[in-house]
Amino acid sequence: GAVVSQHPSWVICKSGTSVKIECRSLDFQATTMFWYRQFPKQSLMLMATSNEGSKATYEQGVEKDKFLINHASLTLSTLTVTSAHPEDSSFYICSVAGTRTSYNEQFFGPGTRLTVL
Amino acid sequence: GENVGLHLPTLSVQEGDNSIINCAYSNSASDYFIWYKQESGKGPQFIIDIRSNMDKRQGQRVTVLLNKTVKHLSLQIAATQPGDSAVYFCAENMEYGNKLVFGAGTILRVKS
């Protein structure tokens, strides 16, 4: 499968600041990238779907102005949490899909732990 | 469908026993299902998948069963090992696009 990395693996920030999380597909052209959020002891919830070169499609209830997604290349997508607040503290996970994947298969990154103080 | 913030159910098994993890999915139109394993602080790891035109698929030490009549999916792990301890999620692919919807998850604890 595809090798997916995320940076940083964890970040602590002050309330009101913005945080950028990178998702890289190291050996795979990711035409589609997904961003998920996972709160402690809960499942993964899809936040948005981004296609390379297009605007992201956000799930219902996810503020697009707060969670800025950029998928400028086939190997990189970024998620920026703007004006972060403690309730944004979560585990953010990206996944990739593309022409090399089989039927709707996704490959997941290792996740980024965000803690907002 | 939407998952909600509930405590995850826990399955405790003795090392060497077989484990069965169950999942109810939400959309009868879903046509592709995947089981993922997630260890603490890591992203989900693919275990096995199954398409809706099948009712059983076997991998190495794992078997997935699909019952479309009752919208139920199960993961069987043979000879469970301590390294199998993790949270297990089922995911369904909705008929539109590549979106995956994850189930609530089950914690598997293997006792040595």
Side-chain angles (χ1 to χ4, degrees):
Chain A
V3 179
V4 182
S5 69
Q6 285 185 234
H7 179 79
S9 55
W10 59 270
V11 57
I12 301 173
C13 69
K14 293 182 179 179
S15 184
T17 60
S18 294
V19 175
K20 180 184 284 188
I21 302 170
E22 291 185 350
C23 174
R24 291 186 183 273
S25 177
L26 301 181
D27 61 348
F28 178 79
Q29 292 193 325
T31 53
T32 306
M33 286 186 170
F34 304 86
W35 285 97
Y36 295 83
R37 179 168 53 183
Q38 184 178 31
F39 293 108
K41 298 191 185 301
Q42 294 188 27
S43 188
L44 283 76
M45 294 190 68
L46 180 65
M47 298 175 66
T49 303
S50 73
N51 292 298
E52 186 261 338
S54 303
K55 288 185 178 180
T57 302
Y58 291 81
E59 294 300 299
Q60 191 173 8
V62 178
E63 300 174 56
K64 63 179 181 180
D65 294 330
K66 181 170 181 61
F67 298 99
L68 302 179
I69 292 172
N70 184 293
H71 188 172
S73 77
L74 289 172
T75 59
L76 174 64
S77 175
T78 60
L79 168 68
T80 301
V81 183
T82 62
S83 186
H85 291 284
E87 58 266 29
D88 299 322
S89 297
S90 189
F91 194 49
Y92 292 87
I93 307 169
C94 71
S95 71
V96 306
T99 55
R100 212 185 78 188
T101 56
S102 62
Y103 189 87
N104 294 336
E105 187 175 8
Q106 296 182 22
F107 301 101
F108 286 83
T112 296
R113 174 76 59 195
L114 170 64
T115 302
V116 185
L117 303 177
Chain B
E2 294 286 331
N3 54 64
V4 295
L6 300 173
H7 293 293
L8 301 180
T10 300
L11 174 66
S12 293
V13 299
Q14 198 66 37
E15 181 179 359
D17 288 350
N18 296 333
S19 303
I20 299 177
I21 301 171
N22 297 301
C23 174
Y25 63 92
S26 60
N27 190 336
S28 57
S30 293
D31 54 6
Y32 178 58
F33 305 88
I34 314 106
W35 278 101
Y36 289 96
K37 173 186 179 183
Q38 187 180 29
E39 295 174 310
S40 181
K42 297 183 179 180
Q45 176 187 354
F46 173 91
I47 301 174
I48 192 168
D49 59 2
I50 189 168
R51 305 198 197 294
S52 60
N53 60 353
M54 304 171 68
D55 53 21
K56 180 179 180 179
R57 189 160 188 235
Q58 287 185 287
Q60 189 176 21
R61 274 202 314 121
V62 295
T63 301
V64 55
L65 299 178
L66 173 63
N67 185 330
K68 294 183 288 293
T69 303
V70 294
K71 293 190 288 185
H72 183 267
L73 200 64
S74 70
L75 176 70
Q76 300 177 4
I77 304 174
T80 314
Q81 302 168 1
D84 295 327
S85 294
V87 180
Y88 289 81
F89 294 98
C90 67
E92 60 185 299
N93 176 246
M94 313 300 274
E95 59 183 321
Y96 308 109
N98 286 342
K99 289 170 54 172
L100 290 177
V101 176
F102 281 78
T106 298
I107 300 171
L108 176 64
R109 289 207 174 101
V110 182
K111 298 175 286 186
S112 299

